[in-house]
Amino acid sequence: GAVVSQHPSWVICKSGTSVKIECRSLDFQATTMFWYRQFPKQSLMLMATSNEGSKATYEQGVEKDKFLINHASLTLSTLTVTSAHPEDSSFYICSAREGSTDTQYFGPGTRLTVL
Amino acid sequence: GNSVTQMEGPVTLSEEAFLTINCTYTATGYPSLFWYVQYPGEGLQLLLKATKADDKGSNKGFEATYRKETTSFHLEKGSVQVSDSAVYFCALSRRNEKLTFGTGTRLTIIP
């Protein structure tokens, strides 16, 4: 099956700093990637949809200036949490859509802890 | 809009028991249907999918059949193992649209 990687798998940072998370589709090209946030024992909350070469589309209530998304190539999207605060601590998961099957494949997730 | 309703958990079964996790959906048109599984501390893995009515998706002993008449996509497995303990998500999407997830069902299998 298609493989999606995320890096880092976990990160601890101080309040006020910025953190970048990478999402890569390893064996297919993804014109669309998605970023989700998951709180403990809850379902996934879609944050934004990222299309290669264009601006991301953010879901209602998600601050686009805080969660910067870049999709510079068909295999890489990045999420930067700017000026992170403890309330941004969460599990962030990306997915990439494989076009021929219209199926989303998910990365292993990144656990962010902001002190 | 689209919605997915799945069986509330948690579900606890003994090893080798029969598993059913119910999933029903509301959508216009003909969406594709998916089951994803999430093991502790990990992302989601695609378990199986079906793209049209009466299709059966299967993988690792799990099965689900796309039933348009009942708008359902129930997940079944004949004999569960401890390693099947995870959270299972039912989801749908129409072509080029975002996924709509159910709330997830936590499954625990005891030896």
Side-chain angles (χ1 to χ4, degrees):
Chain A
V3 179
V4 176
S5 70
Q6 265 184 258
H7 178 81
S9 55
W10 59 270
V11 57
I12 301 172
C13 69
K14 292 182 178 179
S15 188
T17 60
S18 294
V19 174
K20 180 184 284 188
I21 303 170
E22 291 187 350
C23 177
R24 293 181 185 272
S25 56
L26 298 185
D27 50 3
F28 66 99
Q29 293 184 330
T31 53
T32 305
M33 290 184 170
F34 303 85
W35 287 95
Y36 296 84
R37 185 172 178 176
Q38 186 178 35
F39 293 100
K41 298 190 177 181
Q42 294 189 23
S43 188
L44 279 71
M45 181 190 79
L46 179 64
M47 299 173 66
T49 301
S50 166
N51 290 299
E52 186 266 338
S54 63
K55 290 184 178 179
T57 302
Y58 290 80
E59 296 296 302
Q60 191 172 8
V62 178
E63 299 175 61
K64 61 181 179 182
D65 293 332
K66 180 165 189 63
F67 299 100
L68 300 179
I69 291 172
N70 183 276
H71 192 162
S73 78
L74 288 173
T75 59
L76 173 64
S77 176
T78 59
L79 167 68
T80 301
V81 183
T82 62
S83 187
H85 289 95
E87 58 266 30
D88 299 323
S89 299
S90 194
F91 193 53
Y92 292 88
I93 307 176
C94 73
S95 71
R97 178 154 57 205
E98 199 284 313
S100 64
T101 60
D102 198 35
T103 298
Q104 282 189 39
Y105 295 92
F106 286 79
T110 297
R111 183 159 303 283
L112 170 64
T113 301
V114 185
L115 302 177
Chain B
N2 299 334
S3 68
V4 174
T5 302
Q6 66 179 100
M7 182 174 171
E8 287 209 20
V11 174
T12 302
L13 294 173
S14 297
E15 204 166 21
E16 299 185 1
F18 184 86
L19 168 71
T20 300
I21 301 177
N22 290 337
C23 172
T24 57
Y25 68 90
T26 302
T28 56
Y30 301 94
S32 293
L33 303 175
F34 306 85
W35 276 101
Y36 287 89
V37 57
Q38 185 177 31
Y39 298 101
E42 299 183 12
L44 276 65
Q45 298 178 24
L46 178 65
L47 183 57
L48 52 85
K49 61 180 267 192
T51 58
K52 60 183 187 294
D54 299 325
D55 267 1
K56 177 187 283 188
S58 61
N59 185 26
K60 299 180 182 179
F62 290 89
E63 294 183 342
T65 300
Y66 190 145
R67 300 286 189 200
K68 190 151 182 68
E69 63 276 13
T70 55
T71 60
S72 65
F73 193 55
H74 304 322
L75 182 68
E76 296 181 337
K77 186 174 185 181
S79 176
V80 292
Q81 305 301 312
V82 172
S83 56
D84 294 326
S85 298
V87 179
Y88 292 81
F89 291 95
C90 184
L92 69 82
S93 74
R94 298 195 305 172
R95 183 137 192 105
N96 292 325
E97 291 185 354
K98 60 186 180 184
L99 278 170
T100 298
F101 285 97
T103 52
T105 301
R106 184 174 300 275
L107 173 67
T108 302
I109 307 300
I110 53 178

